[in-house]
C-alpha cells in the first residue's frame, strides 16, 4: 500500500477481504483461500459458515483438505445427493473444528458409529445436527453422542431406523434437556417408552415429527401434552394407534398453561400453542375430538391455503373446521337478505 492506497490484490485488508468473501458463493471462497498465504490465513480465521453441498465429486477429499484449514467453522453443511462422505472426513472435522455448532451430514450412508464417537469427543458445542438417512448408525453410538453433546437443540433422525430407538431416546431425554426440535420420521423402533422419556426430559420441545412411528399410542401424546407445554408442531402421520384420548389431552393442555378463557381471539397467536398438527391416516380419530383440538388452538387451520391441521386420508373428519370457517359463517349470517318485491 502506498499512502493508504491499495496497489495490489495482496494488500487488501483482512476486514475488507472477509466482507468481499461474505458476498460470494462457497466454491469461490475456497478458490480465494488458495490465492496466497495471506488470503488463506485471513479466510481461515474469519470463515465461520461453509456449505459443500454443491460438490458432486470428491467431497470426502475436499473435507479432508479443508477441515484443518478452516478451524473456526461454526456451521458446516455436507448434504449430499450422491453418497461420498466417509468416517475419516468426519473424524478430521471432529479433530479440527471444535467450535462447530451446526452440522448437516444427511444422506451419508457410508458413515459408521466411528463418526458419532468422533463428534462426541471433538464437537461438544453442537446445537444442531442433521443425520437423517444415516441408516448405519447404532442406538448405542447415538446415546453416546447425546451424553457428550448436551447443548443440542435441533436433531434430525429421520430414517435412522437403527439409531433412533427407545435406548437412544432415553439418553437424549436424560442429557439433552435444551432440545427444541426432533425429527423421528419413519423410525419404527420408537415406542411410548422413548417418547415419554423425551417428554419428561425435554420440556422445551417445540417441534416433534413422529410420522411413521407406528408403535406409539395415546400414552406418548398424553405425556407430550402434559410436559411439553411449548409444543408448536406435532407430526403423527400414519400413527394409527392414536385415538380420541390423545386429541382431548392436547385440547386440555391449554388449561395447564393457564391461558385466560377471556383472551381475545386476535391475541391468541402462534405463541399460544399448536400451530401445526399432522394426523393424516390416523383413522381411529372422530370429528368431535379433532374439533376440540381445532377449537382450542386457533392457529390450526383447515381452510384453503392455510392448511396447518393436516388430515389426509381421514374422510370421516371432513366436518372438522377451523375458526376461519366459523367467522365466515357468522359474517355471511349478518348480511341482511334483500327483500324481493
Amino acid at each position: 500500500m502506498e499512502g493508504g492506497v491499495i496497489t495490489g490484490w495482496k494488500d487488501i485488508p483482512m476486514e475488507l477481504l472477509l466482507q468481499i468473501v461474505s458476498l460470494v458463493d462457497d466454491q469461490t471462497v475456497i478458490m480465494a483461500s488458495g490465492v496466497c498465504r495471506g488470503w488463506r490465513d485471513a479466510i481461515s480465521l474469519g470463515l465461520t459458515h461453509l456449505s459443500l453441498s454443491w460438490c458432486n465429486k470428491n467431497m470426502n477429499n475436499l473435507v479432508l483438505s479443508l477441515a484443518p484449514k478452516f478451524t473456526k467453522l461454526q456451521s458446516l453443511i455436507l448434504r449430499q445427493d450422491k453418497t461420498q462422505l466417509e468416517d475419516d472426513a468426519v473424524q478430521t472435522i471432529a479433530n479440527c473444528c471444535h467450535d462447530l455448532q451446526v452440522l448437516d451430514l444427511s444422506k451419508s450412508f457410508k458413515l459408521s458409529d466411528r463418526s458419532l464417537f468422533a463428534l462426541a469427543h471433538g464437537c461438544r458445542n453442537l446445537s444442531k445436527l442433521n443425520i437423517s438417512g444415516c441408516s448405519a448408525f447404532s442406538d448405542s453410538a447415538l446415546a453416546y453422542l447425546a451424553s457428550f453433546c448436551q447443548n443440542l437443540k435441533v436433531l434430525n433422525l429421520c430414517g435412522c431406523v437403527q439409531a433412533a430407538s427407545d435406548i437412544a431416546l432415553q439418553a437424549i431425554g436424560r442429557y439433552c434437556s435444551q432440545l427444541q426440535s426432533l425429527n423421528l420420521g419413519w423410525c419404527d423402533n420408537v415406542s411410548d417408552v422413548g417418547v415419554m422419556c423425551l417428554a419428561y426430559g425435554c420440556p422445551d420441545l417445540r417441534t416433534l415429527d413422529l410420522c411413521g412411528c407406528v408403535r406409539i399410542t395415546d400414552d406418548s401424546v398424553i405425556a407430550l401434552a402434559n410436559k411439553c407445554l411449548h409444543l408448536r408442531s406435532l407430526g403423527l402421520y400414519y400413527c394409527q394407534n392414536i385415538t380420541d384420548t390423545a386429541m382431548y389431552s392436547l385440547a386440555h393442555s391449554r388449561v395447564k398453561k393457564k391461558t385466560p378463557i377471556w383472551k381475545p381471539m386476535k391475541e391468541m397467536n402462534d405463541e399460544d400453542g399448536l400451530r401445526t398438527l399432522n394426523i393424516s391416516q390416523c383413522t381411529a380419530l372422530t370429528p368431535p375430538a379433532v374439533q376440540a383440538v381445532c377449537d382450542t388452538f386457533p392457529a390450526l387451520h383447515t381452510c384453503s391455503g392455510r392448511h396447518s391441521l393436516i388430515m389426509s386420508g381421514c374422510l370421516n373428519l371432513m366436518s372438522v373446521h377451523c375458526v376461519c370457517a366459523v367467522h365466515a359463517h357468522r359474517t355471511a349470517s349478518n348480511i341482511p337478505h334483500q327483500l324481493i318485491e
Side-chain angles (χ1 to χ4, degrees):
M1 299 182 65
E2 298 179 0
V5 179
I6 298 174
T7 58
W9 49 266
K10 292 182 180 181
D11 298 325
I12 297 177
M14 179 186 297
E15 294 79 6
L16 178 58
L17 174 61
L18 292 178
Q19 288 184 16
I20 295 173
V21 165
S22 69
L23 300 176
V24 300
D25 60 76
D26 291 319
Q27 192 169 0
T28 304
V29 171
I30 294 172
M31 295 174 62
S33 68
V35 169
C36 65
R37 179 179 295 179
W39 281 31
R40 183 195 65 194
D41 293 343
I43 293 174
S44 296
L45 291 173
L47 189 66
T48 58
H49 297 73
L50 181 66
S51 173
L52 300 181
S53 295
W54 49 267
C55 183
N56 296 320
K57 294 181 180 180
N58 299 319
M59 180 188 285
N60 200 74
N61 290 334
L62 187 58
V63 172
L64 290 172
S65 171
L66 295 179
K69 300 176 183 177
F70 300 150
T71 58
K72 300 301 182 180
L73 284 177
Q74 297 178 16
S75 175
L76 180 58
I77 308 302
L78 301 175
R79 190 181 303 113
Q80 307 153 79
D81 291 325
K82 180 181 179 182
T83 303
Q84 302 178 65
L85 278 187
E86 298 180 8
D87 289 323
D88 57 346
V90 178
Q91 288 175 314
T92 302
I93 293 170
N95 290 334
C96 300
C97 305
H98 301 300
D99 296 333
L100 206 60
Q101 298 176 24
V102 178
L103 179 60
D104 188 339
L105 299 173
S106 53
K107 298 183 180 180
S108 298
F109 304 119
K110 293 182 179 180
L111 299 184
S112 71
D113 287 349
R114 288 169 52 199
S115 290
L116 292 189
F117 290 138
L119 291 174
H121 290 285
C123 299
R124 298 190 183 188
N125 293 321
L126 281 175
S127 62
K128 184 176 181 179
L129 177 63
N130 186 347
I131 53 173
S132 59
C134 298
S135 53
F137 292 149
S138 70
D139 56 355
S140 59
L142 180 57
Y144 187 82
L145 176 80
S147 68
F148 284 88
C149 300
Q150 298 185 16
N151 294 323
L152 280 171
K153 291 186 177 181
V154 180
L155 182 58
N156 191 336
L157 302 175
C158 182
C160 298
V161 180
Q162 296 185 63
S165 70
D166 289 339
I167 293 176
L169 295 187
Q170 286 173 340
I172 292 172
R174 180 178 180 182
Y175 297 110
C176 304
S177 60
Q178 301 180 57
L179 195 67
Q180 295 184 1
S181 177
L182 178 61
N183 190 333
L184 293 171
W186 306 108
C187 297
D188 52 14
N189 285 325
V190 171
S191 75
D192 290 332
V193 173
V195 178
M196 291 172 71
C197 287
L198 279 175
Y200 281 83
C202 306
D204 202 30
L205 202 60
R206 312 229 171 175
T207 300
L208 179 60
D209 194 342
L210 295 168
C211 75
C213 296
V214 295
R215 297 177 60 191
I216 68 166
T217 69
D218 292 336
D219 290 342
S220 290
V221 180
I222 292 172
L224 292 168
N226 289 335
K227 297 299 179 180
C228 300
L229 302 183
H230 302 292
L231 196 63
R232 299 291 176 264
S233 178
L234 179 61
L236 298 171
Y237 174 79
Y238 211 75
C239 298
Q240 297 187 328
N241 292 322
I242 300 298
T243 72
D244 289 351
T245 301
M247 296 297 101
Y248 285 120
S249 69
L250 288 173
H252 294 158
S253 66
R254 181 179 289 277
V255 177
K256 300 179 184 298
K257 286 179 280 188
K258 299 181 180 180
T259 300
I261 59 175
W262 44 262
K263 191 174 184 180
M265 187 66 69
K266 64 181 180 179
E267 295 183 17
M268 298 173 66
N269 54 28
D270 291 348
E271 295 302 317
D272 290 303
L274 280 176
R275 50 188 173 185
T276 303
L277 177 62
N278 189 341
I279 51 174
S280 299
Q281 301 297 333
C282 295
T283 52
L285 300 178
T286 65
V290 178
Q291 187 65 59
V293 177
C294 199
D295 292 342
T296 302
F297 302 108
L300 292 177
H301 293 278
T302 59
C303 51
S304 178
R306 301 183 67 183
H307 290 290
S308 55
L309 176 57
I310 307 166
M311 303 178 290
S312 302
C314 300
L315 297 179
N316 62 318
L317 300 180
M318 294 291 289
S319 63
V320 176
H321 53 268
C322 63
V323 67
C324 296
V326 176
H327 287 170
H329 177 73
R330 289 176 179 173
T331 301
S333 300
N334 291 332
I335 299 176
H337 296 286
Q338 295 182 353
L339 297 177
I340 301 177
E341 297 182 358

